[in-house]
Amino acid sequence: GAVVSQHPSRVICKSGTSVKIECRSLDFQATTMFWYRQFPKQSLMLMATSNEGSKATYEQGVEKDKFLINHASLTLSTLTVTSAHPEDSSFYICSASPAGRSEDQPQHFGDGTRLSIL
Amino acid sequence: QKEVEQDPGPLSVPEGAIVSLNCTYSNSAFQYFMWYRQYSRKGPELLMYTYSSGNKEDGRFTAQVDKSSKYISLFIRDSQPSDSATYLCAMTRGSNYKLTFGKGTLLTVNP
């Protein structure tokens, strides 16, 4: 159980393109999802916390207008990288934890999206 | 001082060895402690999840949490080449709070 699916797994596109990444919880509902960014040989860096039905909370230094997050349902959050540039090339990973349980549940991660901007 | 400290390694051991990985932390608000395994170009996979202090065992893996010392460990018995990956410790105040990660330890188990 607790499967998180992320799509697409790999994106290569030209500079200036906007790219949308989907994160779905397949067998549970998640009121909160998280978006991370990971550079080679480094740990995960939290970008934003996505809350179902409300605005996302961004970490310091993360541009809200650059990285648009939408969490329209209890099983889907999307991250859109707007007008992407080569410096946005990275590995983007989402996570979610089951909602509505009597005890706290750990976060489960998707398999990530490798974004390459040419 | 960083909130979570983890030796990045790399750590190289022979097959069958016992592996010990650990993290220290400074924030006493952390209540939940996790170990994730991450293979190259993949998302982190949850290995162990522990609430508060104590030990937890799952197959070849044992997680220990000592909140008084702010120290957590992961032991891997009878290590296999398939265990070769980066191991990330993570901790949080609660499930809908953000995780704070260690840097990750790169482990190689040699056949």
Side-chain angles (χ1 to χ4, degrees), chain A residues 10 31-32 34 36 38 42-44 46 49 59 91 93 97-98 104-112 114, chain B residues 32 34 36 38 40-46 49 88-89 92-104:
Chain A
R10 184 83 163 96
T31 53
T32 304
F34 301 86
Y36 295 84
Q38 187 177 33
Q42 294 190 25
S43 191
L44 284 74
L46 180 67
T49 302
E59 295 298 299
F91 192 47
I93 314 173
S97 56
D104 284 316
Q105 295 290 312
Q107 289 180 31
H108 295 268
F109 287 81
D111 259 346
R114 189 161 302 280
Chain B
Y32 298 86
M34 288 137 279
Y36 289 90
Q38 186 176 26
S40 181
R41 299 174 180 266
K42 290 287 189 180
E45 170 194 2
L46 180 68
Y49 175 63
L88 296 154
C89 66
T92 182
R93 291 189 290 159
S95 62
N96 287 335
Y97 290 92
K98 65 180 183 180
L99 292 179
T100 300
F101 283 92
K103 280 192 171 184

Side-chain angles (χ1 to χ4, degrees), chain B residues 31-105:
Chain B
Q31 297 287 333
Y32 298 86
F33 304 89
M34 288 137 279
W35 286 94
Y36 289 90
R37 177 174 63 194
Q38 186 176 26
Y39 292 111
S40 181
R41 299 174 180 266
K42 290 287 189 180
E45 170 194 2
L46 180 68
L47 281 178
M48 301 292 283
Y49 175 63
T50 310
Y51 170 69
S52 196
S53 287
N55 293 357
K56 188 172 184 178
E57 188 173 323
D58 184 2
R60 296 184 295 111
F61 299 92
T62 299
Q64 291 184 349
V65 175
D66 182 348
K67 289 189 69 179
S68 63
S69 302
K70 296 188 175 67
Y71 186 89
I72 70 170
S73 301
L74 176 71
F75 297 95
I76 307 173
R77 291 183 298 280
D78 187 25
S79 56
Q80 302 294 310
S82 58
D83 295 328
S84 299
T86 296
Y87 289 79
L88 296 154
C89 66
M91 43 202 81
T92 182
R93 291 189 290 159
S95 62
N96 287 335
Y97 290 92
K98 65 180 183 180
L99 292 179
T100 300
F101 283 92
K103 280 192 171 184
T105 300

